[in-house]
Amino acid sequence: MDQRNPAPQNVRMTGSALPLIAIDGPSGVGKSTTARRVAERLGWQYLDTGAMYRAAALAILRTGIPLEDRPSLERLLAGLDLTQEGGRMYLASEDVSEAIRSQEVTRMVTPVSADARVREVLVDQQRHIGSRGHWVVDGRDIGTVVFTQACCKVFLTASPEARARRRFLELLAKGQSPNFEEVLADLQRRDTADSTRAVAPLRKAEDAVELDSSDLSLDQVVDWIVARHQAHS
Ligand code: DC
């Protein structure tokens, strides 16, 4: 375990009772894979809030509504039917798990997730989902806005270079020919957008513990979070 990261047993837990582990952090840090694995280990459910913003962006793209057209946006948001089941994301009853990973959606999700009204609607849905049962939830504002009473808050980080290297290797493994500098620049653009937006910017909750995963394997990160949770439950 890296010296920069505190041992799990030395970490203070929040005093609240909500059985929910909030994992926030920047793009490409491995939150989704980590959160899914932590949920599997604990037998808890997993909610990917980034996938919800992506599905909302896909719905907006498909209808062609400009974000400035507020009445049309309101109508779309009122009928936005999002569900996650078995690790898949559904828009109405359509499985959009692959469609939400397209470059077009990835571009569109930045302005969509910066829209206060979109966030209001999705945060409501997330609170409704997480209010029953035991959850591991990942995103950008889970510990700071959505579930401030989460029993365990982790702010997962890694250097931009470490995140870009992982993303670069993922794209290579998919048979693509990525350019490292472009991958790095894209991550940095998303970091800036996520942390400087007016509504719910990415930041560490005061009672979250930061885990720098730059030099850790996925297994080490998962073990650390599970150990931290178990040491305090
Ligand atoms: O984690 P991701 O890359 O799938 O997230 C997609 C986008 O949604 C990203 O631009 C950040 C945004 N997001 C957000 O603003 N708040 C969340 N709770 C989750 C994701």
Side-chain angles (χ1 to χ4, degrees):
M1 183 64 57
D2 194 295
Q3 288 306 307
R4 280 169 299 181
N5 294 313
Q9 63 270 24
N10 293 338
V11 174
R12 184 172 59 88
M13 283 281 284
T14 53
S16 146
L18 199 61
L20 188 145
I21 298 177
I23 303 181
D24 288 307
S27 295
V29 75
K31 294 184 300 295
S32 302
T33 316
T34 302
R36 182 174 296 113
R37 294 265 301 267
V38 170
E40 278 167 13
R41 287 266 296 271
L42 297 174
W44 289 18
Q45 300 185 80
Y46 164 56
L47 182 66
D48 178 351
T49 63
M52 295 175 73
Y53 284 96
R54 286 173 177 274
L58 177 67
I60 292 169
L61 264 176
R62 281 180 174 175
T63 51
I65 295 172
L67 283 173
E68 303 74 45
D69 180 352
R70 305 312 283 182
S72 301
L73 181 67
E74 280 297 335
R75 272 194 297 279
L76 182 143
L77 290 174
L80 195 61
D81 176 9
L82 305 179
T83 41
Q84 273 177 40
E85 224 180 286
R88 312 294 295 176
M89 181 78 227
Y90 295 88
L91 174 60
S93 40
E94 179 192 348
D95 185 344
V96 293
S97 312
E98 270 82 44
I100 59 171
R101 303 288 156 195
S102 73
Q103 290 223 337
E104 222 185 346
V105 170
T106 299
R107 267 194 302 274
M108 184 66 180
V109 74
T110 300
V112 166
S113 63
D115 187 284
R117 185 68 188 123
V118 170
R119 298 202 75 84
E120 199 178 344
V121 169
L122 291 197
V123 166
D124 265 2
Q125 293 196 9
Q126 290 157 14
R127 287 185 176 144
H128 182 73
I129 295 167
S131 61
R132 280 158 190 259
H134 293 65
W135 290 89
V136 182
V137 184
D138 85 290
R140 305 292 190 289
D141 60 343
I142 308 308
T144 52
V145 175
V146 188
F147 294 111
T148 52
Q149 336 82 298
C151 68
C152 178
K153 299 182 186 179
V154 178
F155 194 73
L156 192 58
T157 62
S159 67
E161 290 72 20
R163 289 183 282 134
R165 198 165 51 242
R166 289 176 196 166
R167 180 81 189 125
F168 177 82
L169 293 174
E170 265 171 31
L171 293 171
L172 270 186
K174 282 186 184 169
Q176 300 181 18
S177 322
N179 172 301
F180 182 80
E181 295 306 324
E182 279 172 20
V183 172
L184 179 61
D186 182 56
L187 269 179
Q188 288 173 324
R189 179 187 63 74
R190 292 169 69 189
D191 283 357
T192 306
D194 286 348
S195 53
T196 59
R197 70 181 174 216
V199 197
L202 170 69
R203 64 177 177 81
K204 176 182 164 297
E206 272 178 22
D207 51 356
V209 61
E210 184 165 339
L211 180 62
D212 184 335
S213 69
S214 301
D215 301 318
L216 302 180
S217 68
L218 175 63
D219 281 342
Q220 286 175 309
V221 174
V222 171
D223 286 350
W224 190 94
I225 296 174
V226 170
R228 173 178 183 264
H229 168 71
Q230 288 174 339
H232 293 85
S233 56

